[in-house]
Amino acid sequence: MDLDEVLGAVQQRFRPYIHSFPEFSRLPRKGVAQSEVLSLLRQLQSSEGMRWKKGFVSGAVYHGERVHTGFAARAYSLTSQSNPLHPDVWPSLVKMEGEIVAMTAHLLQGGPNTRGAVTSGGTESILLAMKAYRDWAREKKGITEPEVVLPMSAHVAFDKACHYFGLRARIVPLGPDYAADVEAVKEAITPNTVAVVGSAPCFPYGVVDDIRSMSEIAHDHGVGFHCDACLGGFILPWARPLGYSVPPFDFELPGVTSISVDPHKYGYTPKGTSVILYSNAELLHKQYYVAKRWPGGIYFSTSMAGSRPGGLVAAAWATLLSLGEAGYRQLARKIFQTAERIRRGIAQRPGVKMMGDSRIVAAFTTESPDIYQVMERMSERGWFLNGLQNPPGVHLAVTLRQTPRPVTQRFLSDLDWALERARNSPTASGLAPIYGMAEALPEEAVGEFFESVIDWIYHGS
Ligand SMILES: Cc1ncc(COP(=O)(O)O)c(C=O)c1O
């Protein structure tokens, strides 16, 4: 398959959908009636809704039940005009943000010195932490060529942070258990290291790194340790009370100096809320921005954005309060049980190999047939799984959408069908060849290739 064919396949996936609804390439001359706009919105979303509501999508929508989302939407609508950039106008948002940070810090065993801020998502929390470590190390240690020790499985947001903020990533391999290789972490630390990163758990495999050992190494070298608990921060705290083993990963460990954690994943809030926590105020100050002489007046911000949606703060605050500890524990139990069931079922399929141990993610690969062929056949059955690469694999991040038993059964029977089809009639369409192609291309060409893919998705050429 050549580049044009791959781009053609991408176009085929998005264009028919876009063209099957009225198109607006300029402002309508006269406003469209609100009822008509809402009806169009419903139509636009209806087929998408069927995918995630029925549990066909890995991760992405963590709760999604109607009464729950309706409640958060009501909280949003009460506060949709508010903006945390103006704390004097909306002191209620100062209270709510402070309480979101405090509740999250308590959940992750923070102490009296723990400080934090609300951000727009895991990526922003990670970007801010990496900037804070860079600036802290420049000021305190005079480090001008900062480096970060990153396990292969760390979220791509860390690589993005390196790209944006001029940090060098020292990538370390994983062990056979798909957790960061602790010895390699030790060896990767240099006098320029500003922080070591570990995940609880990592996105690709759902595996929790050995945060205890890694944070001790960082502490011994006098560098920061960031635990990325974006995915696990709101669910793993319930594992031990429910009888599941999970290694320690939070502020219980004295070497952990910052944690990113996402209410908009297993915290079940609407999308657009994350929390970044630090073990002390000094680090937090390195992410603040204060304008000193701007003619527009006194200006400061706690995160990267200027204006921010106060409605999302209120919706997140309302969600945390309404679920409470008992609510989170109950939902965590359902997810742990479902993930266990799905993982056991996958592991029983011949030729399939699990990638790492996890409480919430089922990552697997195949000796034969090709795993991307299996993924493509699963997508023909309606599934949106996440493709993995280096090495090839696929994963399902289990959410509440998969907890009804018929969804698990459907997943496993579709997997049988997909394995059989992939074995007997490999396909040349869909995402399988894109993954294959990306792996075959030299690294520099991959960037250019995906710039074209992005253009085709959003601009059609
Ligand atoms: C472990 C981990 N870290 C960071 C992120 C980034 O979060 P976001 O997509 O909210 O920016 C994710 C997203 O899935 C994740 O799984």
Side-chain angles (χ1 to χ4, degrees), residues 102-117:
M103 287 188 266
T104 309
H106 178 261
L107 186 62
L108 299 177
Q109 308 195 63
N113 296 328
T114 309
R115 291 282 189 281

mmCIF file with all atom_site columns, all heavy atoms in Angstrom, residues 102-117:
data_model
loop_
_atom_site.group_PDB
_atom_site.id
_atom_site.type_symbol
_atom_site.label_atom_id
_atom_site.label_alt_id
_atom_site.label_comp_id
_atom_site.label_asym_id
_atom_site.label_entity_id
_atom_site.label_seq_id
_atom_site.pdbx_PDB_ins_code
_atom_site.Cartn_x
_atom_site.Cartn_y
_atom_site.Cartn_z
_atom_site.occupancy
_atom_site.B_iso_or_equiv
_atom_site.pdbx_formal_charge
_atom_site.auth_seq_id
_atom_site.auth_comp_id
_atom_site.auth_asym_id
_atom_site.auth_atom_id
_atom_site.pdbx_PDB_model_num
ATOM 1   N N   . ALA A 1 102 ? -7.759  19.951 47.092 1.00 0.00 ? 102 ALA A N   1
ATOM 2   C CA  . ALA A 1 102 ? -7.639  19.367 48.436 1.00 0.00 ? 102 ALA A CA  1
ATOM 3   C C   . ALA A 1 102 ? -8.175  17.933 48.463 1.00 0.00 ? 102 ALA A C   1
ATOM 4   O O   . ALA A 1 102 ? -7.541  17.031 49.025 1.00 0.00 ? 102 ALA A O   1
ATOM 5   C CB  . ALA A 1 102 ? -8.398  20.225 49.449 1.00 0.00 ? 102 ALA A CB  1
ATOM 6   N N   . MET A 1 103 ? -9.316  17.697 47.824 1.00 0.00 ? 103 MET A N   1
ATOM 7   C CA  . MET A 1 103 ? -9.896  16.339 47.829 1.00 0.00 ? 103 MET A CA  1
ATOM 8   C C   . MET A 1 103 ? -8.972  15.371 47.091 1.00 0.00 ? 103 MET A C   1
ATOM 9   O O   . MET A 1 103 ? -8.781  14.225 47.519 1.00 0.00 ? 103 MET A O   1
ATOM 10  C CB  . MET A 1 103 ? -11.293 16.347 47.166 1.00 0.00 ? 103 MET A CB  1
ATOM 11  C CG  . MET A 1 103 ? -12.365 17.001 48.024 1.00 0.00 ? 103 MET A CG  1
ATOM 12  S SD  . MET A 1 103 ? -14.028 16.781 47.309 1.00 0.00 ? 103 MET A SD  1
ATOM 13  C CE  . MET A 1 103 ? -14.223 18.283 46.369 1.00 0.00 ? 103 MET A CE  1
ATOM 14  N N   . THR A 1 104 ? -8.399  15.846 45.980 1.00 0.00 ? 104 THR A N   1
ATOM 15  C CA  . THR A 1 104 ? -7.513  14.980 45.188 1.00 0.00 ? 104 THR A CA  1
ATOM 16  C C   . THR A 1 104 ? -6.233  14.699 45.964 1.00 0.00 ? 104 THR A C   1
ATOM 17  O O   . THR A 1 104 ? -5.736  13.559 45.986 1.00 0.00 ? 104 THR A O   1
ATOM 18  C CB  . THR A 1 104 ? -7.201  15.658 43.831 1.00 0.00 ? 104 THR A CB  1
ATOM 19  O OG1 . THR A 1 104 ? -8.428  16.055 43.244 1.00 0.00 ? 104 THR A OG1 1
ATOM 20  C CG2 . THR A 1 104 ? -6.486  14.719 42.892 1.00 0.00 ? 104 THR A CG2 1
ATOM 21  N N   . ALA A 1 105 ? -5.685  15.737 46.607 1.00 0.00 ? 105 ALA A N   1
ATOM 22  C CA  . ALA A 1 105 ? -4.458  15.553 47.391 1.00 0.00 ? 105 ALA A CA  1
ATOM 23  C C   . ALA A 1 105 ? -4.698  14.574 48.538 1.00 0.00 ? 105 ALA A C   1
ATOM 24  O O   . ALA A 1 105 ? -3.861  13.713 48.822 1.00 0.00 ? 105 ALA A O   1
ATOM 25  C CB  . ALA A 1 105 ? -3.977  16.894 47.932 1.00 0.00 ? 105 ALA A CB  1
ATOM 26  N N   . HIS A 1 106 ? -5.852  14.675 49.163 1.00 0.00 ? 106 HIS A N   1
ATOM 27  C CA  . HIS A 1 106 ? -6.172  13.757 50.273 1.00 0.00 ? 106 HIS A CA  1
ATOM 28  C C   . HIS A 1 106 ? -6.239  12.317 49.770 1.00 0.00 ? 106 HIS A C   1
ATOM 29  O O   . HIS A 1 106 ? -5.705  11.391 50.385 1.00 0.00 ? 106 HIS A O   1
ATOM 30  C CB  . HIS A 1 106 ? -7.492  14.175 50.927 1.00 0.00 ? 106 HIS A CB  1
ATOM 31  C CG  . HIS A 1 106 ? -7.902  13.255 52.036 1.00 0.00 ? 106 HIS A CG  1
ATOM 32  N ND1 . HIS A 1 106 ? -8.831  12.248 51.857 1.00 0.00 ? 106 HIS A ND1 1
ATOM 33  C CD2 . HIS A 1 106 ? -7.480  13.148 53.316 1.00 0.00 ? 106 HIS A CD2 1
ATOM 34  C CE1 . HIS A 1 106 ? -8.963  11.579 52.975 1.00 0.00 ? 106 HIS A CE1 1
ATOM 35  N NE2 . HIS A 1 106 ? -8.161  12.099 53.883 1.00 0.00 ? 106 HIS A NE2 1
ATOM 36  N N   . LEU A 1 107 ? -6.892  12.136 48.618 1.00 0.00 ? 107 LEU A N   1
ATOM 37  C CA  . LEU A 1 107 ? -7.018  10.804 48.018 1.00 0.00 ? 107 LEU A CA  1
ATOM 38  C C   . LEU A 1 107 ? -5.642  10.194 47.759 1.00 0.00 ? 107 LEU A C   1
ATOM 39  O O   . LEU A 1 107 ? -5.457  8.980  47.864 1.00 0.00 ? 107 LEU A O   1
ATOM 40  C CB  . LEU A 1 107 ? -7.796  10.952 46.704 1.00 0.00 ? 107 LEU A CB  1
ATOM 41  C CG  . LEU A 1 107 ? -8.189  9.719  45.921 1.00 0.00 ? 107 LEU A CG  1
ATOM 42  C CD1 . LEU A 1 107 ? -9.128  8.843  46.731 1.00 0.00 ? 107 LEU A CD1 1
ATOM 43  C CD2 . LEU A 1 107 ? -8.860  10.123 44.603 1.00 0.00 ? 107 LEU A CD2 1
ATOM 44  N N   . LEU A 1 108 ? -4.685  11.051 47.395 1.00 0.00 ? 108 LEU A N   1
ATOM 45  C CA  . LEU A 1 108 ? -3.350  10.554 47.032 1.00 0.00 ? 108 LEU A CA  1
ATOM 46  C C   . LEU A 1 108 ? -2.348  10.768 48.171 1.00 0.00 ? 108 LEU A C   1
ATOM 47  O O   . LEU A 1 108 ? -1.136  10.906 47.926 1.00 0.00 ? 108 LEU A O   1
ATOM 48  C CB  . LEU A 1 108 ? -2.890  11.214 45.721 1.00 0.00 ? 108 LEU A CB  1
ATOM 49  C CG  . LEU A 1 108 ? -3.821  10.901 44.534 1.00 0.00 ? 108 LEU A CG  1
ATOM 50  C CD1 . LEU A 1 108 ? -3.378  11.623 43.276 1.00 0.00 ? 108 LEU A CD1 1
ATOM 51  C CD2 . LEU A 1 108 ? -3.904  9.397  44.272 1.00 0.00 ? 108 LEU A CD2 1
ATOM 52  N N   . GLN A 1 109 ? -2.863  10.824 49.370 1.00 0.00 ? 109 GLN A N   1
ATOM 53  C CA  . GLN A 1 109 ? -2.053  10.832 50.595 1.00 0.00 ? 109 GLN A CA  1
ATOM 54  C C   . GLN A 1 109 ? -1.089  12.013 50.670 1.00 0.00 ? 109 GLN A C   1
ATOM 55  O O   . GLN A 1 109 ? 0.049   11.869 51.134 1.00 0.00 ? 109 GLN A O   1
ATOM 56  C CB  . GLN A 1 109 ? -1.316  9.498  50.764 1.00 0.00 ? 109 GLN A CB  1
ATOM 57  C CG  . GLN A 1 109 ? -2.275  8.299  50.661 1.00 0.00 ? 109 GLN A CG  1
ATOM 58  C CD  . GLN A 1 109 ? -1.656  7.014  51.165 1.00 0.00 ? 109 GLN A CD  1
ATOM 59  O OE1 . GLN A 1 109 ? -1.320  6.912  52.322 1.00 0.00 ? 109 GLN A OE1 1
ATOM 60  N NE2 . GLN A 1 109 ? -1.517  6.046  50.301 1.00 0.00 ? 109 GLN A NE2 1
ATOM 61  N N   . GLY A 1 110 ? -1.551  13.148 50.173 1.00 0.00 ? 110 GLY A N   1
ATOM 62  C CA  . GLY A 1 110 ? -0.747  14.365 50.305 1.00 0.00 ? 110 GLY A CA  1
ATOM 63  C C   . GLY A 1 110 ? -0.696  14.813 51.758 1.00 0.00 ? 110 GLY A C   1
ATOM 64  O O   . GLY A 1 110 ? -1.530  14.421 52.577 1.00 0.00 ? 110 GLY A O   1
ATOM 65  N N   . GLY A 1 111 ? 0.291   15.646 52.073 1.00 0.00 ? 111 GLY A N   1
ATOM 66  C CA  . GLY A 1 111 ? 0.446   16.153 53.432 1.00 0.00 ? 111 GLY A CA  1
ATOM 67  C C   . GLY A 1 111 ? 0.086   17.626 53.499 1.00 0.00 ? 111 GLY A C   1
ATOM 68  O O   . GLY A 1 111 ? -0.448  18.183 52.525 1.00 0.00 ? 111 GLY A O   1
ATOM 69  N N   . PRO A 1 112 ? 0.401   18.253 54.647 1.00 0.00 ? 112 PRO A N   1
ATOM 70  C CA  . PRO A 1 112 ? 0.030   19.663 54.806 1.00 0.00 ? 112 PRO A CA  1
ATOM 71  C C   . PRO A 1 112 ? 0.721   20.597 53.804 1.00 0.00 ? 112 PRO A C   1
ATOM 72  O O   . PRO A 1 112 ? 0.218   21.680 53.524 1.00 0.00 ? 112 PRO A O   1
ATOM 73  C CB  . PRO A 1 112 ? 0.480   19.981 56.245 1.00 0.00 ? 112 PRO A CB  1
ATOM 74  C CG  . PRO A 1 112 ? 1.363   18.856 56.658 1.00 0.00 ? 112 PRO A CG  1
ATOM 75  C CD  . PRO A 1 112 ? 1.011   17.676 55.837 1.00 0.00 ? 112 PRO A CD  1
ATOM 76  N N   . ASN A 1 113 ? 1.862   20.172 53.251 1.00 0.00 ? 113 ASN A N   1
ATOM 77  C CA  . ASN A 1 113 ? 2.567   21.047 52.292 1.00 0.00 ? 113 ASN A CA  1
ATOM 78  C C   . ASN A 1 113 ? 2.170   20.811 50.846 1.00 0.00 ? 113 ASN A C   1
ATOM 79  O O   . ASN A 1 113 ? 2.656   21.485 49.951 1.00 0.00 ? 113 ASN A O   1
ATOM 80  C CB  . ASN A 1 113 ? 4.090   20.855 52.411 1.00 0.00 ? 113 ASN A CB  1
ATOM 81  C CG  . ASN A 1 113 ? 4.587   21.284 53.771 1.00 0.00 ? 113 ASN A CG  1
ATOM 82  O OD1 . ASN A 1 113 ? 4.015   22.208 54.369 1.00 0.00 ? 113 ASN A OD1 1
ATOM 83  N ND2 . ASN A 1 113 ? 5.602   20.597 54.290 1.00 0.00 ? 113 ASN A ND2 1
ATOM 84  N N   . THR A 1 114 ? 1.329   19.813 50.599 1.00 0.00 ? 114 THR A N   1
ATOM 85  C CA  . THR A 1 114 ? 0.942   19.515 49.209 1.00 0.00 ? 114 THR A CA  1
ATOM 86  C C   . THR A 1 114 ? 0.169   20.698 48.626 1.00 0.00 ? 114 THR A C   1
ATOM 87  O O   . THR A 1 114 ? -0.726  21.243 49.276 1.00 0.00 ? 114 THR A O   1
ATOM 88  C CB  . THR A 1 114 ? 0.052   18.244 49.153 1.00 0.00 ? 114 THR A CB  1
ATOM 89  O OG1 . THR A 1 114 ? 0.711   17.213 49.863 1.00 0.00 ? 114 THR A OG1 1
ATOM 90  C CG2 . THR A 1 114 ? -0.196  17.814 47.726 1.00 0.00 ? 114 THR A CG2 1
ATOM 91  N N   . ARG A 1 115 ? 0.560   21.080 47.408 1.00 0.00 ? 115 ARG A N   1
ATOM 92  C CA  . ARG A 1 115 ? -0.112  22.184 46.720 1.00 0.00 ? 115 ARG A CA  1
ATOM 93  C C   . ARG A 1 115 ? -0.472  21.735 45.314 1.00 0.00 ? 115 ARG A C   1
ATOM 94  O O   . ARG A 1 115 ? 0.137   20.797 44.798 1.00 0.00 ? 115 ARG A O   1
ATOM 95  C CB  . ARG A 1 115 ? 0.825   23.387 46.578 1.00 0.00 ? 115 ARG A CB  1
ATOM 96  C CG  . ARG A 1 115 ? 1.168   24.079 47.866 1.00 0.00 ? 115 ARG A CG  1
ATOM 97  C CD  . ARG A 1 115 ? 0.010   24.982 48.300 1.00 0.00 ? 115 ARG A CD  1
ATOM 98  N NE  . ARG A 1 115 ? 0.395   25.824 49.413 1.00 0.00 ? 115 ARG A NE  1
ATOM 99  C CZ  . ARG A 1 115 ? 0.453   25.436 50.679 1.00 0.00 ? 115 ARG A CZ  1
ATOM 100 N NH1 . ARG A 1 115 ? 0.146   24.184 50.992 1.00 0.00 ? 115 ARG A NH1 1
ATOM 101 N NH2 . ARG A 1 115 ? 0.805   26.271 51.638 1.00 0.00 ? 115 ARG A NH2 1
ATOM 102 N N   . GLY A 1 116 ? -1.400  22.430 44.683 1.00 0.00 ? 116 GLY A N   1
ATOM 103 C CA  . GLY A 1 116 ? -1.726  22.013 43.327 1.00 0.00 ? 116 GLY A CA  1
ATOM 104 C C   . GLY A 1 116 ? -2.608  23.011 42.617 1.00 0.00 ? 116 GLY A C   1
ATOM 105 O O   . GLY A 1 116 ? -2.931  24.075 43.149 1.00 0.00 ? 116 GLY A O   1
ATOM 106 N N   . ALA A 1 117 ? -2.978  22.643 41.386 1.00 0.00 ? 117 ALA A N   1
ATOM 107 C CA  . ALA A 1 117 ? -3.828  23.515 40.577 1.00 0.00 ? 117 ALA A CA  1
ATOM 108 C C   . ALA A 1 117 ? -4.688  22.660 39.662 1.00 0.00 ? 117 ALA A C   1
ATOM 109 O O   . ALA A 1 117 ? -4.339  21.516 39.348 1.00 0.00 ? 117 ALA A O   1
ATOM 110 C CB  . ALA A 1 117 ? -2.961  24.446 39.744 1.00 0.00 ? 117 ALA A CB  1
#
